[in-house]
Amino acid sequence: MKDGMTAVRNPQLVHILDKLKYIENYGTGIRRMYEAYSGTDKLPEFEVRPNSFKVVLPNVNWRKKQVDKSDKKNNVNEETVLFILEKNGKQTRKELQQALETTPYHVRKLLNELIEQGKVKKIGKSVNTRYEKR
């Protein structure tokens, strides 16, 4: 699983969920979990069983010190994302995350809201996805 190998148990279900846009980039979840834990002293734990597997995601946020900078996420908003896209052109989600110094979840949320509003255009799929200001 860590190597990004996927073994779809029900290809018809995956195909339907993909077409309905309930999933995207299937096969990238494990890698994205490890990316989310980079720079921490904890990692996701996997318990592989004969017919299933269990994932334990340690909470690395609950003991963080409350510093003024920890509120930085609240200062990162849609206007900030639009400014960066206007200034730098097409960007990946990871490039935006690094520029904004925030979490992958927060960047995804902002990008999805901007796409819904028609202010940002998503180009490509999977690791080749880029975002640009409309």
Side-chain angles (χ1 to χ4, degrees):
M1 289 190 307
K2 290 180 183 179
D3 295 333
M5 301 291 289
T6 59
V8 176
R9 293 172 116 179
N10 189 332
Q12 292 86 7
L13 180 61
V14 169
H15 178 73
I16 291 168
L17 292 173
D18 182 44
K19 291 291 182 195
L20 293 172
K21 302 208 183 289
Y22 280 111
I23 60 172
E24 64 174 48
N25 302 331
Y26 49 93
T28 63
I30 304 295
R31 179 181 47 80
R32 290 188 351 209
M33 278 187 245
Y34 277 97
E35 282 178 14
Y37 282 87
S38 68
T40 70
D41 60 344
K42 298 188 181 208
L43 292 174
E45 298 172 22
F46 294 90
E47 185 180 313
V48 180
R49 301 172 182 167
N51 295 315
S52 65
F53 66 93
K54 176 181 173 181
V55 181
V56 177
L57 300 173
N59 185 348
V60 294
N61 297 314
W62 74 281
R63 283 198 177 174
K64 281 190 175 178
K65 294 179 183 176
Q66 297 299 322
V67 182
D68 291 340
K69 282 190 175 181
S70 70
D71 209 24
K72 194 173 209 172
K73 185 169 94 171
N74 295 331
N75 296 327
V76 175
N77 55 32
E78 294 172 2
E79 288 77 27
T80 314
V81 173
L82 291 172
F83 175 79
I84 291 174
L85 290 174
E86 187 172 341
K87 179 181 168 194
N88 300 333
K90 294 177 188 172
Q91 297 277 292
T92 65
R93 188 230 5 111
K94 196 168 190 171
E95 290 169 336
L96 284 166
Q97 176 188 336
Q98 290 170 346
L100 298 168
E101 297 180 29
T102 189
T103 64
Y105 171 80
H106 192 224
V107 173
R108 272 192 221 90
K109 182 179 174 196
L110 289 169
L111 285 169
N112 288 335
E113 289 170 2
L114 288 166
I115 290 168
E116 277 185 29
Q117 295 170 19
K119 295 179 180 179
V120 168
K121 182 179 177 182
K122 181 179 179 180
I123 303 164
K125 288 189 174 198
S126 191
V127 295
N128 296 316
T129 304
R130 302 283 184 272
Y131 300 89
E132 72 177 354
K133 186 176 177 189
R134 284 189 179 235

